[in-house]
Amino acid sequence: MLSIKNLHASVEGTPILKGINLEVKPGEVHAIMGPNGSGKSTLASVLAGKEEYEVTAGEVIFKGKDLLELSPEDRAREGVFLAFQYPVEIPGVSSTNFLRTAVNQVREYRGQEPLDAVKFLTLMKEKMKLVEIDQKLLSRSLNEGFSGGEKKRNEIFQMAILDPSLSILDETDSGLDIDALKVVSHGVNTLRSADKATIVVTHYQRLLDYIVPDFVHVLFDGKIVKSGNKELALELEEKGYDWIKEATNGAAV
Amino acid sequence: MTNTKTLRLIDTFLNGLSEDFGAFADLKMEALDALRTQGLPALKEEEYKFTPISKKLESTFGEIKATQKINLTAAQVAAAHIPGLDAHVLVFNNGQWDQELSNFTGAEFQILSIEENEANLNGKIGAIAKNDRDHFVPLNSLTFQEGISLEIPKGKALTKPVLILHFVQALEGNYTAPRTYISAQSQTAGTFIEKTISLDEAPYFNNVVTEIHVGENAHIHYYRVQEESRSGITVNNFETNIHRDATFTSVVLTLQGDMLRNNLSLNLLDSGCEGNMYGLYLVNGKTHVDNHTNVDHTKPHAESNELYKGILADQSRGVFNGKIFVRQDAQKTNAFQQNNNILLSEDAIVNTKPQLEIWADDVKCSHGCTIGQLDEEALFYLRARGIGKESARGLLLYAFAGEVLEHIKEESFRDYCIGLLQERLGGSY
Ligand SMILES: Nc1ncnc2c1ncn2[C@@H]1O[C@H](COP(=O)(O)OP(=O)(O)O)[C@@H](O)[C@H]1O
Ligand SMILES: [Mg+2]
């Protein structure tokens, strides 16, 4: 489904990603872990199409298409979804209006009929239940004045509505209490299926108790320096990242 | 350009004046004196620093001459109406009151010709918008024809809004000077909507003066939409005296013109009154829009709120100047002012300046201004959800601008303005 080869990216001339390789197949869940500043969000943003990151080498193929050639909106329409680490507050844009515009533009791209107000409302109601999000939140401006947890929940809610084939969750668990974490994980797990894939970027092993990954990768200094199964996450939890850093630095010398 | 040189522009008027001014001779004498001493705005004059209006007039016309009336038809008036708005309609034809095409049967207000009612109106016309206020007020005082006075008698609340349509088309001359005096007596209410219709692309100069008396506990809304031709030049002097417990709210939507200057002054003359000014300028091409606002708090316990927002594309130019005076007597004043701008192009320019003079010590005043670009983070967020770039821009700009139009209470007019906004932003949001 997703094939990343030797991906290099810079911001303002500074290299951040230094040769990422990653293969994600339908049905799989990949966890990407790593210390702060190692490039996890950069990778997520490059996949979503953020323009301030310049791809200097490598390729990304998504469902047979050159992902890097597509505009951010077309990536979303093709089925890529990024749950932002820091969702943006957008005053004056109502959540409902925003989502309906998004859903219908995605549908139009896929050659589907737009959802009318009633059908859209039904869809909203169904997905609201899934992530236990309050109607009141959705009648406000998008993310405006939302707590950290409410923003994260809203990301998963949007994901549920848009029904992507590849979901990238960038530290969706950070800052969530255990109840919220369960709700969010439940949402993600419910949406999992054999033809969909998920990349969970996380800092904490805790999340992986709820969203069980097939693979765990450690990203450090712009490269995936170690890959393994879920046992690797436990090891990281126990030993921290220092041994990885040392091993990597050692190898570089 | 020195002040006296600017008078060249109005030579025709000055030479054509007769000894005997006829009606309102005192007002006109005073206006003439004011003009002779002040001239029109000099190039470097502080109040017109960013809006070189005299230069604009000179390069466009050389000389200002009153224009003929247009052969207006009822069909043109009907076509200019706001869809779905049930209103009394007042028509101005090149600045002159057109009673025949106006329609206000059954209205709760009275209309008088200013010139024909000097006895009733002397001491009222020119008492709110004074001749020494702005260069263009005395020019209007000297040159207006067929102005009107509209009075809402004590205790009457207008059941329908009043739609004032200004049709403008330069015919032989280039200059129009509408003059309106509105008196809302105590305990009245009313909504006024004003719109200028440029009938063709020929340049004109529309020099408007509107004076409003807002009596005790009167509640007046005044809305204006400025979508003139690309060669229309307009100066609006709009001044209101607001009395005890009265409220006055204005909303100005500016979309197009060559050079548009709005001087809007609210004089809060007593306690318990409130003045609100909202404005949205959404301009492109080479449109130049200048909003100079002025709130004068003279007595304790009054409030003013002001929000102006601008979206500027292409080589358009915006100027905002917001003066707030809080006089020594005006304790417990609340005065808020905000001006936010989004520049959509490298060539668009905004100059914004709050000017607060506060002489009382127990007041709450705040002001702020911003100039920025469209929020790229927000734009990316929307696009990452599958919303196309243009729609995402539209959504964000609409959200930014919509906050101003929310202050329009008259629903069909608000819908009309929202329609104009969406048309400009290219989509419905
Ligand atoms: N927009 C940006 N401008 C400048 N530096 C950036 C930008 N985005 C990320 N970086 C830098 O790139 C590195 C990786 O950041 P990031 O991808 O956010 O890491 P992570 O998500 O793993 O914590 C950091 O050193 C960060 O400072
Ligand atoms: Mg990050």
Side-chain angles (χ1 to χ4, degrees), chain A residues 11-12 16 35-43 52-53 85 170-171:
Chain A
V11 60
E12 285 160 10
I16 312 281
N36 274 330
S38 56
K40 304 183 297 294
S41 291
T42 302
L43 175 61
E52 62 190 282
Y53 297 96
Q85 182 174 5
D170 190 0
E171 295 207 29

Side-chain angles (χ1 to χ4, degrees), chain A residues 103-152:
Chain A
V103 166
N104 282 335
Q105 291 202 10
V106 169
R107 292 179 66 89
E108 191 185 340
Y109 182 86
R110 297 179 184 165
Q112 297 164 318
E113 289 288 301
L115 291 186
D116 62 27
V118 177
K119 284 197 182 121
F120 178 70
L121 211 67
T122 314
L123 177 69
M124 286 254 296
K125 290 236 164 82
E126 179 199 332
K127 304 302 181 189
M128 274 161 59
K129 253 188 234 143
L130 180 67
V131 290
E132 296 174 24
I133 197 165
D134 196 338
Q135 169 85 58
K136 272 192 223 115
L137 274 187
L138 298 177
S139 61
R140 304 220 306 246
S141 286
L142 187 49
N143 290 329
E144 194 183 32
F146 285 26
S147 70
E150 287 168 341
K151 284 180 186 164
K152 298 296 175 80

Side-chain angles (χ1 to χ4, degrees), chain B residues 117-296:
Chain B
N117 290 276
E118 185 174 8
N120 293 328
L121 297 172
N122 211 352
K124 292 182 177 166
I125 307 303
I128 300 175
K130 297 193 175 81
N131 274 327
D132 58 4
R133 204 54 160 143
D134 177 80
H135 302 265
F136 293 96
V137 174
L139 182 60
N140 177 290
S141 296
L142 199 61
T143 55
F144 76 85
Q145 287 178 43
E146 316 233 2
I148 57 163
S149 148
L150 184 156
E151 181 175 311
I152 310 176
K154 188 171 172 184
K156 293 279 185 207
L158 301 188
T159 47
K160 288 189 206 179
V162 182
L163 176 64
I164 306 174
L165 299 174
H166 288 272
F167 290 87
V168 191
Q169 182 178 30
L171 291 173
E172 289 173 42
N174 47 48
Y175 172 78
T176 62
R179 182 82 176 216
T180 310
Y181 170 76
I182 295 172
S183 175
Q185 298 293 311
S186 65
Q187 318 254 24
T188 54
T191 297
F192 295 84
I193 299 170
E194 200 173 311
K195 184 181 163 189
T196 300
I197 301 98
S198 318
L199 289 176
D200 64 18
E201 293 294 317
Y204 58 78
F205 173 39
N206 193 15
N207 179 23
V208 190
V209 174
T210 309
E211 302 176 78
I212 304 193
H213 163 87
V214 185
E216 200 175 310
N217 200 24
H219 304 283
I220 300 298
H221 293 261
Y222 206 100
Y223 309 133
R224 172 184 296 139
V225 54
Q226 299 182 300
E227 192 179 27
E228 306 194 16
S229 85
R230 295 230 173 252
S231 41
I233 302 169
T234 290
V235 174
N236 263 298
N237 275 288
F238 188 106
E239 184 147 358
T240 138
N241 282 354
I242 303 168
H243 294 269
R244 194 178 184 92
D245 301 326
T247 60
F248 176 83
T249 301
S250 78
V251 182
V252 180
L253 170 62
T254 305
L255 294 166
Q256 188 171 283
D258 180 350
M259 186 176 273
L260 305 164
R261 163 72 173 238
N262 298 315
N263 295 321
L264 171 61
S265 297
L266 310 191
N267 303 315
L268 298 169
L269 298 181
D270 211 332
S271 295
C273 63
E274 182 181 316
N276 306 306
M277 300 187 273
Y278 304 100
L280 171 65
Y281 38 102
L282 176 64
V283 287
N284 59 19
K286 291 189 167 173
T287 296
H288 178 122
V289 53
D290 177 345
N291 284 296
H292 265 62
T293 66
N294 188 12
V295 192
D296 194 353

Side-chain angles (χ1 to χ4, degrees), chain B residues 277 293-295 304-308 320-324 335-339 352-356 365-369:
Chain B
M277 300 187 273
T293 66
N294 188 12
V295 192
S304 65
N305 298 289
E306 177 168 23
L307 173 67
Y308 270 72
F320 175 82
N321 180 287
K323 291 190 184 63
I324 300 178
F336 305 103
Q337 179 190 95
Q338 188 72 33
N339 174 236
T352 170
K353 183 177 172 192
Q355 234 176 308
L356 277 63
C365 282
S366 75
H367 66 90
C369 52

